[in-house]
Amino acid sequence: MAAHRRAFIAGVFEHPTRKAVNKSLGQLHREVAAGALADAGLTRADVDGYFVAGDNTNLYPLSFIDYLGLRPKVIGATDTGGSAYVTHVGQAIEAIEAGKCEVALITLAGKPRTGGAAADPVPDWPLPDVPFEQPFGRAVINTYAMCAARHAYEYGTTSEQLAWVKVAFSHHAQHNPNAMLRNVVTVDEVLESPMIADPLHRLDCCVVSDGGGAIVVVSEAVAKALARPLVAVRGYGDAVKHQAGGKVDLTYTATRWSAAVAYEEAGVTAADIRYASVYDSFTITVLEQIEDLGFAEKGKGGAFVADGGLISGVGRLAVNTDGGGLCNNHPANRGGMTKIIEAVRQLRGEAHPAVQVPGLELALVNATGGWLGTRHAAATMILETK
């Protein structure tokens, strides 16, 4: 199926700010949109498809379309949290292949650091599960801590092994001038940081940042007229995992299913992948996805990530060479957008020389959205240079 794909990622942009004190949410969206379009060699007038997730409230696609001055023929607003932007790329490709649009713009922006939502509390939404969970004090961090504790119970995964995820990404972040945390840390420093929700320490948790990013997806006809290197999507898959009435295994994610679809469509396996962008809200998020993506057997992810297994030029698999959400940024508390951007940089040969994977032709992007301990979605893409 990969040979029949007729749409390409032509432009990407990551906002350099991590603390947008004097910028509105609309400004951030406008600036990332302008950056991605400039990267592609296109203008706002070329855009006829627009995709955005829940970066605002109340008719948010219409608000941003108005603010950006767009006239799209296709509008997408699927919201699956951090995985939404990977899903949007897939939806944009489908719209382009169906002849509905030629140039699709996808934007993300947020201000959780300066906008009063830094702690990312679980809101009292009018959803059927909330009354059953809120009395027990559900929060984002403790739902992930439950997954880490269960993985440790089932497979003997240690806090030291989880710490290696943070260590690896800190080695990458030292080369990123925009990263929030640029200091290389050790396993001991991770373990000595305050315990937030057992067994997760403070350094097992992602940063909270303002900022955003944008992606431009174009048709084959438009792509041929552009001077920029193009990135194709060879395979793509979506999946969801929910609580199933309480009959849930906390040691795996919906990635188990989304990855299977993406690999089959791309005609590749995990063994073909040397670089991966993997959503990293917490260290346990990475470890479970590493297993679900087939890079390690279930229960052996701890051994895979240990001793620099994810460090570019050291381990078999380079992961999150921009520093990821654990060290670089996590705009709007949603990490899927920046995962795509760094994968595109790697495939273009535009990552920092110290972390660039040489001769890279294939890259994998995987993001989750929601809460691993309750309900969540996953989206997987296999990208290649063209």
Side-chain angles (χ1 to χ4, degrees):
M1 293 180 66
H4 299 295
R5 289 299 189 190
R6 291 293 180 265
F8 304 86
I9 297 175
V12 295
F13 182 80
E14 178 185 352
H15 206 291
T17 190
R18 304 293 181 262
K19 190 174 184 180
V21 177
N22 298 315
K23 292 183 183 291
S24 69
L25 187 66
Q27 284 178 292
L28 292 174
H29 274 280
R30 178 178 58 80
E31 290 171 6
V32 297
L37 287 167
D39 183 53
L42 297 166
T43 70
R44 182 180 61 182
D46 296 310
V47 176
D48 57 359
Y50 181 61
F51 296 79
V52 66
D55 306 342
N56 201 340
T57 58
N58 299 326
L59 302 178
Y60 45 87
L62 299 184
S63 297
F64 292 135
I65 288 168
D66 185 9
Y67 188 85
L68 297 174
L70 304 176
R71 299 188 70 85
K73 295 185 290 185
V74 174
I75 302 169
T78 298
D79 193 353
T80 55
S83 64
Y85 313 92
V86 183
T87 296
H88 288 167
V89 172
Q91 292 176 336
I93 289 172
E94 291 168 355
I96 289 170
E97 291 178 334
K100 300 295 185 181
C101 64
E102 293 282 333
V103 177
L105 172 67
I106 305 164
T107 66
L108 157 73
K111 297 188 56 172
R113 188 178 182 189
T114 58
D120 194 20
V122 177
D124 187 17
W125 291 332
L127 300 176
D129 42 13
V130 168
F132 297 93
E133 296 179 353
Q134 290 294 65
F136 299 97
R138 174 171 67 91
V140 174
I141 178 64
N142 61 30
T143 64
Y144 285 79
M146 287 192 304
C147 296
R150 190 66 192 184
H151 204 281
Y153 176 81
E154 293 283 354
Y155 303 113
T157 305
T158 67
S159 292
E160 288 81 2
Q161 290 172 329
L162 288 174
W164 269 107
V165 177
K166 177 74 168 195
V167 171
F169 298 172
S170 74
H171 275 266
H172 298 154
Q174 68 177 315
H175 305 294
N176 183 349
N178 294 320
M180 286 184 65
L181 303 179
R182 295 188 64 193
N183 292 335
V184 175
V185 300
T186 66
V187 169
D188 286 343
E189 287 174 323
V190 177
L191 300 181
E192 290 167 4
S193 66
M195 185 72 74
I196 304 300
D198 192 13
L200 298 180
H201 301 78
R202 182 169 65 193
L203 292 183
D204 285 298
C205 308
C206 67
V207 300
V208 176
S209 75
D210 299 341
I215 302 167
V216 177
V217 183
V218 302
S219 68
E220 185 174 37
V222 172
K224 289 180 177 179
L226 300 177
R228 293 294 287 148
L230 301 174
V231 173
V233 179
R234 275 189 60 165
Y236 165 77
D238 269 315
V240 296
K241 182 186 176 192
H242 50 74
Q243 298 170 100
K247 298 177 181 179
V248 61
D249 183 341
L250 297 175
T251 65
Y252 72 91
T253 74
T255 300
R256 170 182 290 187
W257 304 306
S258 63
V261 175
Y263 282 140
E264 182 178 5
E265 182 174 288
V268 301
T269 69
D272 298 307
I273 306 298
R274 294 188 293 131
Y275 173 80
S277 286
V278 178
Y279 191 61
D280 55 339
S281 49
F282 302 92
T283 52
I284 184 60
T285 319
V286 176
L287 190 144
E288 290 200 4
Q289 289 171 92
I290 289 293
E291 295 176 342
D292 296 336
L293 289 164
F295 296 117
E297 293 181 27
K298 179 54 64 178
K300 296 184 179 180
F304 186 90
V305 305
D307 301 317
L310 305 183
I311 300 177
S312 183
V314 176
R316 189 198 77 74
L317 180 70
V319 176
N320 295 359
T321 46
D322 62 341
L326 286 168
C327 296
N328 176 25
N329 67 341
H330 193 212
N333 294 330
R334 294 159 175 256
M337 172 66 74
T338 49
K339 299 300 172 284
I340 302 167
I341 292 171
E342 182 65 7
V344 170
R345 290 193 194 111
Q346 279 283 350
L347 288 169
R348 288 175 170 180
E350 297 173 354
H352 191 282
V355 298
Q356 176 68 53
V357 178
L360 191 67
E361 296 180 354
L362 290 175
L364 180 146
V365 178
N366 194 81
T368 59
W371 301 274
L372 296 195
T374 55
R375 87 278 315 141
H376 68 272
T380 310
M381 287 196 308
I382 310 296
L383 305 178
E384 70 172 340
T385 53
K386 282 292 185 182

